[in-house]
Amino acid sequence: MAYADGELYGEAKEAFEQRLQAEPKLAAELSELQALHIVARSEAPLEPADHEWRRLETDTIQRTGLGLGWILLIAAVLLLAGQVVFSIARDESLSSLSRVLMISAIFGIGLLAGMTLRERLRVLPFDPYTKVER
Amino acid sequence: MSTDSMLIVTSDNIPGQTIATTVGLVRGTTVRSRHIGRDIRATLRSLVGGEVVEYTKLVAECREQAIDRMAAEAKAKGADAVVGFRFATMEVARGAAEVVAYGTAVKLR
């Protein structure tokens, strides 16, 4: 708590920062504390529209529609990507080398995207700013 | 406004306090973006009008992080407060905003 309040100095601060590197759970706890601190100082009074926003977050039609929309979009994108790879693989007008290169590029981008997403998901618990609304 | 024990003001002086020394310019910078899901929702929201809450949240996150980084630099330089505080924002890429928070770090008597 002292570290989160900026009240740790010198050797004690250095020792705590070393512990943060070695203990991810401690770092996540600190991030939660910092997030509370940040939200508390930036909390704005509720506006009339906020009540409707909060109601919509629990509205069944809204949640079902959004969920279904995302599932359809993601499924369609993945299937289209698969279809593109399949079409390239079967396209006799392209040389084998071109087909291999194009498919490699698609899988390469997919792998890069996957690793970037993995990085983001790993770092997300330690980002205290995601709870800020406005 | 105060982050931790750092007093941050937009005026050039602090009523009731005397500035002993000027430490110098301090600044905090961040560039953040929304993920593609929020980007898609923001684009659709811009078709129907009204507040684009995804970008409101984006700028707010940038703002708080930039302030914290500026305050951390001021603290590291031994300052007690930051005067003349200002923000500067710009869009560096589609859906990515940069916020710079800057001011003059000072020591108080």
Side-chain angles (χ1 to χ4, degrees):
Chain A
M1 184 65 103
Y3 184 85
D5 290 338
E7 291 166 3
L8 219 53
Y9 303 98
E11 283 180 16
K13 186 180 173 190
E14 281 176 25
F16 189 79
E17 283 171 351
Q18 281 177 4
R19 277 189 66 197
L20 284 176
Q21 286 210 355
E23 298 171 38
K25 276 192 180 170
L26 184 63
E29 267 182 45
L30 175 64
S31 179
E32 275 182 36
L33 272 174
Q34 287 173 331
L36 281 173
H37 185 79
I38 291 161
V39 168
R41 75 168 187 239
S42 58
E43 191 67 27
L46 286 180
E47 296 172 0
D50 290 335
H51 300 290
E52 192 57 28
W53 283 121
R54 282 173 179 37
R55 202 169 12 249
L56 278 170
E57 280 170 16
T58 56
D59 181 73
T60 310
I61 293 173
Q62 189 73 11
R63 285 162 63 101
T64 306
L66 284 174
L68 199 56
W70 282 122
I71 289 169
L72 286 172
L73 180 62
I74 291 168
V77 166
L78 289 174
L79 288 171
L80 274 171
Q83 192 179 35
V84 165
V85 170
F86 190 63
S87 301
I88 291 170
R90 291 186 55 158
D91 190 346
E92 303 278 327
S93 64
L94 294 169
S95 69
S96 299
L97 180 61
S98 296
R99 281 186 266 173
V100 166
L101 289 175
M102 287 166 83
I103 291 171
S104 298
I106 292 170
F107 277 108
I109 288 171
L111 193 57
L112 285 172
M115 290 300 104
T116 307
L117 177 62
R118 183 171 177 265
E119 276 174 12
R120 176 60 180 150
L121 292 174
R122 288 279 289 266
V123 172
L124 192 58
F126 307 105
D127 185 350
Y129 300 100
T130 56
K131 292 183 175 51
V132 177
E133 291 297 327
R134 58 173 179 249
Chain B
M1 167 170 40
S2 173
T3 64
D4 297 325
S5 56
M6 181 67 56
L7 184 60
I8 300 170
V9 297
T10 55
S11 51
D12 291 336
N13 47 49
I14 303 169
Q17 300 272 10
T18 306
I19 294 173
T21 54
T22 301
V23 175
L25 171 70
V26 288
R27 65 263 187 265
T29 305
T30 185
V31 180
R32 294 176 76 104
S33 76
R34 306 296 329 148
H35 61 70
I36 189 167
R38 296 255 186 212
D39 240 0
I40 291 170
R41 290 273 281 154
T43 303
L44 293 171
R45 220 183 281 283
S46 68
L47 296 177
V48 298
E51 183 182 5
V52 185
V53 292
E54 289 80 11
Y55 289 134
T56 299
K57 184 171 161 55
L58 171 64
V59 173
E61 288 174 10
C62 286
R63 178 193 69 220
E64 297 303 321
Q65 188 167 30
I67 289 172
D68 281 344
R69 286 180 171 172
M70 182 199 69
E73 184 178 339
K75 189 165 233 167
K77 289 182 173 178
D80 300 315
V82 176
V83 299
F85 171 69
R86 299 287 185 272
F87 277 121
T89 67
M90 71 177 81
E91 186 185 22
V92 295
R94 197 187 171 288
E98 178 193 16
V99 172
V100 180
Y102 61 96
T104 305
V106 297
K107 275 181 163 326
L108 302 174
R109 251 187 245 288

